[in-house]
Amino acid sequence: MMIRRLVSLQSLLLASCAVMLILIGLKGYGISQKMAWFDEAERLYAEKDLIQAETWYLKARNNTSIDYREDIISARLKELAPITDMKRQLAELSSQGAKATSKGDFDKLMDVYAKLSLLRNTYYTGNGPYSENYREISKSNNVSEKFVSYFAQFKDRFYADMDHNLDTGDYSNESFKWNLLRIPSNFYGDSSKQISELSAKFKTYDARRIKATASKGLYDTLFAEAKDMLDAYKSHQFEAPWITSTTKELIGSLLEYDLKEENYAAFAKHAKQYKEFANQADPGSSLTEYAEGQIARLMKKAKKMAAQGEYQEAINLYNALSGYQDTGEAVDQVKLAWMAAEPSQLLPIRSEGDSYQHVSGGTDAYGSKIYVTAADETNRIYFGRMNAQEQVQVLSNTDITSNATIRQLSIERKLSNKETPVLLVEADSASRNALYALFEVQDDRIELILWVEADNLTINPDGSLLVENPAGSGEGQIAIYERSGSYYEFTGVKTVIPEIAPEDIAQYPQKKVRFTCTISAPGEFETTAWAGDNYIVLTGDFQFSEGPAVITGTFVEYKDIMINEDLLNVPVVQVDSVEPSTLP
């Protein structure tokens, strides 16, 4: 037992010695390494290879086998601290860039790149003390190649997003555009190459998008999208002239198509939309000038239509063009011209198959801008008028029953005044040639002022009426009607002076007659005249002139006179009036 214990203790001691020897060997090796590393660092430092020297100084510092020249190592590392910092940060930023790329976090990559740029600007400063060190460290770590790869991957992703939008027709997210613009220009080569590459990509993408919208006929959307695109590019300080050129090309074709199809409302709408777009996006566009020229041409066409009496066509065209400019005044003018030409439009619309008869009217009279009078199939008479404020008033009267047929309805201007028209109606009569009725158009009604059946009606300059053979008072004679208050009344009959042949004068003793003769010689108070083949004596308070004359007078007696030494017994006429005559 005792022997076993001695053997075990001996083995333990041997093992411990072996371990000690190993540890002493390792420490000796570490001490040797540290000293060698320090020497190598010093050599490199002396050769100005500071980057490698910093590496060996760090290794020597981290070797704790022995405290050896620690003060020099610490001083050297303090001096070379910027190189240590560059190495550390470049490694960290490269790692962070790789991580952001793998996660598709472009904003993070841009943040990392901003830090990298800050680091570079800190140490890589032209002739600065660490510029060359920074370049070597960056190159040895392939920093530039790594970030070129990172941004290239994102660029490919953004181009893929662009194609995806075109394939799906979903343009709700176009952030890839602005991300492509955020990629630093040096990753495209330079700023010129960046603009060239992205302009080509954006132009293809935007043109396909705009054309796709146009192909669906969504022109309201097209203009809105084009404006939004331009605004977006502007906010990112990027020129995109293809937006205006593509829009101009598409709308130019559309306007030509609208004109070809004579779809003037669509033309006006699209022209107005383009004008509003171009005023901001493309001032002075030739397409705007073209559209304005076509609008002017169509406005002239509408005006010509109205002048030719094509009123509805003119109104339709003006209304179609209202999408481009205000045509309300032009439409109102056509409507007024139409009403003036066809004033029955002022009257109530008739049922299908019915129409107004005896329509007449005019403009700028009786206090009206337009006026009209007419009758319908029931003999209701109408008077319509439009005032200066374009307010329409229609009055009617039903005094003439439907049993009588109206032959004529007109405005009797001799009886009308500036403000109040008088209507004359001639209708069938069972007992005379016609029924004559006069109606005065007052402010609020049409008032009957004459109703008479007669063979004829004549209006005197003084406003009185001569009614031939009226039914009732004055029957068989020419009756005189004069207005008394609001109505015309019978006031008497007219004496009729018969027209006779002058040689028949002796047949009308003591009766006033009218005849034509030729005065043979001038004379005062009395002269002779030829009456057919005979002579007559004219006497009266007149200065008679030689030649043809119309005489009104009365045969009073015979008288002997000498003519060429012949004694003739001739009639004597007491003259009431004498008028020159054009008759031979």
Side-chain angles (χ1 to χ4, degrees):
M1 223 22 209
M2 196 64 174
I3 293 172
R4 272 183 196 172
R5 288 178 179 173
L6 289 173
V7 172
S8 298
L9 180 60
Q10 185 178 10
S11 298
L12 180 60
L13 289 172
L14 289 172
S16 298
C17 288
V19 169
M20 288 294 292
L21 288 172
I22 292 171
L23 291 174
I24 290 170
L26 288 172
K27 187 169 182 64
Y29 177 74
I31 291 170
S32 175
Q33 274 191 322
K34 182 168 184 173
M35 295 174 67
W37 290 348
F38 174 79
D39 290 342
E40 179 66 12
E42 284 289 286
R43 182 185 69 79
L44 292 169
Y45 180 82
E47 293 177 357
K48 304 298 183 182
D49 189 351
L50 301 182
I51 296 174
Q52 292 300 321
E54 185 269 351
T55 299
W56 289 106
Y57 280 127
L58 281 175
K59 292 179 72 173
R61 186 193 66 178
N62 293 334
N63 188 329
T64 59
S65 299
I66 187 174
D67 287 340
Y68 180 75
R69 302 291 183 92
E70 297 299 331
D71 55 340
I72 297 175
I73 293 172
S74 178
R76 294 282 192 263
L77 285 175
K78 184 176 181 181
E79 178 186 347
L80 299 175
I83 293 177
T84 304
D85 183 59
M86 280 186 273
K87 286 183 176 181
R88 177 185 60 79
Q89 289 200 58
L90 285 173
E92 288 179 354
L93 292 173
S94 294
S95 175
Q96 291 173 9
K99 186 176 181 180
T101 302
S102 65
K103 290 184 176 182
D105 190 344
F106 183 70
D107 289 336
K108 179 62 177 178
L109 178 62
M110 290 300 297
D111 181 61
V112 171
Y113 185 74
K115 294 177 180 178
L116 176 63
S117 298
L118 179 62
L119 179 66
R120 181 175 62 248
N121 293 336
T122 300
Y123 294 110
Y124 193 60
T125 57
N127 296 324
Y130 301 104
S131 294
E132 185 63 26
N133 300 139
Y134 179 88
R135 187 187 66 79
E136 290 182 15
I137 296 170
S138 176
K139 182 177 181 180
S140 65
N141 285 276
N142 296 317
V143 174
S144 295
E145 289 79 359
K146 289 177 182 177
F147 276 87
V148 167
S149 173
Y150 301 154
F151 281 113
Q153 291 179 57
F154 272 106
K155 188 195 294 185
D156 291 341
R157 290 181 187 178
F158 296 148
Y159 286 156
D161 290 342
M162 188 180 294
D163 292 336
H164 176 75
N165 279 13
L166 291 173
D167 292 339
T168 61
D170 182 2
Y171 306 100
S172 57
N173 183 2
E174 292 185 334
S175 60
F176 54 81
K177 285 184 177 181
W178 324 127
N179 287 335
L180 286 166
L181 287 171
R182 291 172 66 191
I183 295 175
S185 61
N186 54 290
F187 292 101
Y188 292 89
D190 55 36
S191 60
S192 176
K193 292 179 180 179
Q194 179 190 32
I195 293 174
S196 178
E197 178 179 332
L198 293 183
S199 292
K201 286 287 187 180
F202 292 164
K203 179 178 181 180
T204 299
Y205 172 84
D206 293 335
R208 287 184 58 183
R209 176 182 174 182
I210 293 172
K211 290 178 180 178
T213 302
S215 68
K216 299 175 184 177
L218 303 175
Y219 292 101
D220 291 347
T221 302
L222 184 152
F223 285 112
E225 289 181 347
K227 183 180 183 301
D228 289 343
M229 288 183 200
L230 287 172
D231 289 343
Y233 279 121
K234 184 177 181 180
S235 69
H236 290 86
Q237 293 83 48
F238 195 83
E239 297 292 330
W242 55 85
I243 302 295
T244 54
S245 61
T246 302
T247 302
K248 179 180 179 181
E249 177 186 353
L250 290 171
I251 300 304
S253 298
L254 176 64
L255 294 179
E256 289 180 359
Y257 177 79
D258 290 340
L259 287 177
K260 180 181 178 182
E261 295 298 311
E262 297 185 355
N263 190 347
Y264 300 128
F267 176 84
K269 176 184 177 182
H270 296 146
K272 179 64 174 295
Q273 288 175 320
Y274 180 77
K275 180 180 180 180
E276 292 175 346
F277 169 79
N279 283 344
Q280 296 183 4
D282 190 16
S285 169
S286 60
L287 184 58
T288 299
E289 184 178 350
Y290 165 78
E292 289 177 345
Q294 293 302 313
I295 290 293
R297 178 182 66 83
L298 292 172
M299 289 290 287
K300 289 180 180 178
K301 180 179 180 180
K303 185 176 182 180
K304 184 176 181 181
M305 286 177 172
Q308 293 174 341
E310 300 172 7
Y311 301 109
Q312 188 60 61
E313 292 82 355
I315 289 172
N316 292 343
L317 183 51
Y318 277 131
N319 285 335
L321 299 179
S322 65
Y324 186 86
Q325 65 186 50
D326 183 7
T327 58
E329 183 177 350
V331 170
D332 290 343
Q333 289 176 351
V334 175
K335 287 181 178 179
L336 288 174
W338 193 358
M339 286 183 181
E342 300 177 19
S344 60
Q345 292 185 83
L346 288 175
L347 302 177
I349 297 175
R350 306 291 293 147
S351 302
E352 186 175 354
D354 294 333
S355 62
Y356 290 103
Q357 294 88 42
H358 311 294
V359 179
S360 63
T363 59
D364 300 321
Y366 312 117
S368 304
K369 199 169 186 178
I370 301 174
Y371 62 91
V372 62
T373 184
D376 64 18
E377 68 281 355
T378 67
N379 286 345
R380 177 188 291 266
I381 61 173
Y382 296 85
F383 186 84
R385 53 190 164 194
M386 175 189 288
N387 63 18
Q389 290 73 44
E390 298 187 4
Q391 297 171 325
V392 175
Q393 180 193 46
V394 177
L395 304 173
S396 65
N397 181 286
T398 58
D399 284 334
I400 300 179
T401 64
S402 58
N403 296 328
T405 300
I406 294 179
R407 301 174 188 168
Q408 183 178 344
L409 167 63
S410 62
I411 296 177
E412 181 45 65
R413 303 187 187 281
K414 293 180 181 179
L415 299 178
S416 304
N417 60 37
K418 184 178 180 180
E419 298 295 331
T420 307
V422 173
L423 310 181
L424 171 61
V425 175
E426 181 181 325
D428 287 346
S429 169
S431 61
R432 295 293 189 271
N433 286 343
L435 163 66
Y436 296 99
L438 291 175
F439 296 89
E440 185 174 72
V441 180
Q442 300 177 359
D443 290 341
D444 57 351
R445 64 190 184 278
I446 299 177
E447 188 76 17
L448 178 68
I449 59 175
L450 171 72
W451 183 282
V452 63
E453 293 183 69
D455 291 339
N456 192 29
L457 183 142
T458 302
I459 300 171
N460 291 324
D462 62 0
S464 63
L465 310 177
L466 297 181
V467 182
E468 295 184 18
N469 190 26
S473 300
E475 183 174 2
Q477 302 180 74
I478 297 178
I480 300 173
Y481 280 71
E482 295 179 339
R483 187 162 182 173
S484 176
S486 61
Y487 202 77
Y488 274 90
E489 296 180 349
F490 172 79
T491 58
V493 296
K494 179 183 178 182
T495 301
V496 179
I497 301 175
E499 295 277 350
I500 66 169
E503 57 269 27
D504 295 333
I505 186 66
Q507 300 177 20
Y508 298 89
Q510 304 302 320
K511 289 185 179 180
K512 188 175 292 188
V513 294
R514 180 179 290 110
F515 59 89
T516 300
C517 64
T518 301
I519 298 175
S520 58
E524 185 176 4
F525 303 121
E526 185 175 287
T527 188
T528 58
W530 281 101
D533 293 332
N534 301 313
Y535 279 101
I536 61 174
V537 173
L538 301 179
T539 183
D541 190 11
F542 295 97
Q543 182 70 43
F544 295 101
S545 299
E546 183 178 2
V550 176
I551 303 298
T552 301
T554 305
F555 167 52
V556 292
E557 62 179 345
Y558 278 97
K559 180 179 180 180
D560 291 334
I561 62 173
M562 291 293 295
I563 300 293
N564 297 327
E565 299 182 354
D566 292 328
L567 180 63
L568 301 177
N569 186 252
V570 298
V572 177
V573 176
Q574 181 66 45
V575 177
D576 293 324
S577 69
V578 57
E579 301 173 17
S581 172
T582 58
L583 295 178

